[in-house]
Each structure stands twice: as C-alpha cells, then as structure tokens.
Amino acid sequence: MSLVEITKLTVRHGHNTVLHNVNFKIDAGEIVTIVGPNGSGKSTLIRAIIGALRPNAGSVARKMGLRIGYVPQKLQIDPTLPMNVRRFLDLPTRVPNREAREALEEAGAGDLASRQMADLSGGQFQRVLLARALLNKPQLLILDEATQGLDQPGSAAFYQRVAQVREHLGCAVLMVSHELHVVMAASDRVICLNGHICCEGEPEHVASAPEYRALFGTGTGGALALYRHQHSHSHDDACEHDHDHPHEAAE
C-alpha cells in the first residue's frame, strides 16, 4: 500500500470547516508539495497525517510501522540556554554518537555538533532540525514551511539538501510551502489546497492550471527550472474546480 492514504478527510474547528472531502496518497520515494494561501488548511492536514488530530469525517491510513521525520515551521529555543547541537539531538532521548554524527552529516551539518544552538544562523538551525528528523531513518520526511525566514538562496540550498536526502535514504518527502518558485520544480507532484484539493499534478501542469493561477497569480511559474530533475516514475494529473468553495486571495 501507499505510505499514507487519505480518504474523504473533513476537519472542522468549531463551526468552521477547515478541510472538506480531501483525498490523496503519498507513495514511497516521491516528493509531494502542498501549496495554498494562509488559512487553506495546510498545517491542519499535516497534523492529521502525523496523528496529532482526529478528523471529523474520513480516514488517514498509514503504512504499518511507518517512520515519520518531522521538520517544524519554527522552533523557539531560549537564547540564554547553554545547549550545543549534539546535546540538542539527545532531547528527549539520548542518541548514540554514531547515529547523531550520521544524521548531522546527512543534513549537511556535520561540522556543527559543538556549536551552541543560540549561535546558529537560520540556515544552520534548519539543517540541525533536519538532522533531528533523520535520526529514526524516516520513510516519510515532512517539512512544514521549514524555510520560513530564510532568503531565497538559503531556501534553495536547504531544499537541494532535502532532495539529496531523498536520493540517499529513499524516503518520501511531503513539503508545505509558500515558496512556490523554489519548491515546485523539485516536486514529483504538487497539491494546491484551499480547504479542498482544487488542483493536483506535476509542477508544470499545476502552474498553468486556472485554479492555481486564481490563488497565486501568473508570476510564480517563471522560476520552475530551479530544480529540474528526471522523474523515474509518472503520475496521473487531475485538476478539478469545486464551485462550492470559492478561492480566497493569497495573503
């Protein structure tokens, strides 16, 4: 079966329906990017996938024993707390030195083990978070707007590292991002979310779809060549427009 299969997922917060009738799956080894404006339900969908919330309707089926690595949108650490990178990887459970070293190397942070967390740049900090997510050799790596606050070169470098991790570990990658110009071309599949899936398919297909352009305008497709890579498999493209859920302008 797929690593994750979501069927007719509906999530409500009070009287507000955040996600409605969402269906999609994630297969081994693929990179899937979820895009959508603020308030479109992206983070809610991630929480449902990792089991942090129960849907009001529908189901989230995960492969038995699925190992998930998670890189959060942000993590606040008290800058006065004396904690180096190696010690950070031991929270909440001590990690053998070999495993910590391998994870740091995989994330491109091999030279940061002795550095204080408070002294890291934004890009270094995110690579350390990536290393922590890799400690359990995940089959599915989830990144929730993991490059928020980084400049464009920093974001590009981080996502290039993620692509290398995917190639080496063979894990699937699920990314949530607003950085369409950086992320979309790295993806095998893009899902455009606005409370429901309004468009889905390969990057070029979604970038030219009317549903996508209604959300993000026409100026985001020009940099799709940033991460061109060969696809080893194909996906069926499907776009549909749900008139019961009008699009909101991206913030």
Side-chain angles (χ1 to χ4, degrees):
M1 63 170 289
S2 301
L3 298 182
V4 176
E5 188 161 353
I6 294 173
T7 306
K8 297 182 178 179
L9 181 73
T10 295
V11 178
R12 301 184 187 93
H13 293 161
H15 296 295
N16 181 33
T17 299
V18 181
L19 294 173
H20 172 69
N21 198 33
V22 172
N23 298 276
F24 82 97
K25 62 182 181 178
I26 304 169
D27 291 327
E30 69 173 340
I31 297 182
V32 178
T33 296
I34 298 174
V35 298
N38 290 333
S40 61
K42 301 187 300 295
S43 291
T44 297
L45 180 58
I46 294 300
R47 292 179 64 205
I49 290 173
I50 65 178
L53 64 77
R54 297 185 64 178
N56 295 90
S59 64
V60 179
R62 288 174 288 272
K63 180 181 177 181
M64 185 72 69
L66 178 65
R67 298 187 305 276
I68 296 177
Y70 177 66
V71 181
Q73 187 175 117
K74 55 187 174 182
L75 182 66
Q76 297 291 341
I77 294 181
D78 187 338
T80 66
L81 188 66
M83 179 167 54
N84 65 22
V85 168
R86 179 63 186 89
R87 185 179 175 192
F88 172 74
L89 295 183
D90 277 335
L91 301 177
T93 305
R94 186 175 295 276
V95 176
N97 285 330
R98 179 180 57 81
E99 294 180 17
R101 184 170 58 252
E102 288 177 355
L104 288 170
E105 290 288 347
E106 190 75 58
D111 58 341
L112 300 178
S114 62
R115 292 279 299 277
Q116 290 294 310
M117 292 294 293
D119 294 337
L120 300 179
S121 68
Q124 291 171 334
F125 193 93
Q126 290 308 109
R127 289 199 296 275
V128 170
L129 292 184
L130 175 60
R132 187 175 183 181
L134 296 177
L135 285 171
N136 69 336
K137 297 293 192 293
Q139 297 161 295
L140 173 61
L141 178 63
I142 298 177
L143 303 104
D144 187 2
E145 304 223 33
T147 60
Q148 190 176 59
L150 300 185
D151 59 16
Q152 184 172 328
S155 296
F158 183 80
Y159 284 126
Q160 284 173 340
R161 175 60 61 171
V162 169
Q164 292 169 5
V165 166
R166 191 275 294 259
E167 292 294 330
H168 186 231
L169 296 184
C171 61
V173 178
L174 177 63
M175 296 189 285
V176 171
S177 183
H178 283 106
E179 297 169 313
L180 311 177
H181 56 289
V182 174
V183 172
M184 287 190 67
S187 308
D188 297 308
R189 188 155 48 99
V190 176
I191 294 171
C192 192
L193 188 71
N194 196 25
H196 66 294
I197 294 178
C198 54
C199 194
E200 177 179 3
E202 293 184 353
E204 296 85 348
H205 175 74
V206 172
S208 62
E211 297 86 351
Y212 171 83
R213 288 171 179 255
L215 285 174
F216 296 107
T218 59
T220 55
L224 287 179
L226 271 178
Y227 280 170
R228 188 63 53 235
H229 67 287
Q230 295 297 319
H231 298 290
S232 57
H233 51 281
S234 62
H235 303 280
D236 293 329
D237 293 343
C239 270
E240 62 181 17
H241 191 59
D242 185 346
H243 294 286
D244 293 330
H245 294 79
H247 296 305
E248 301 169 357
E251 297 176 14

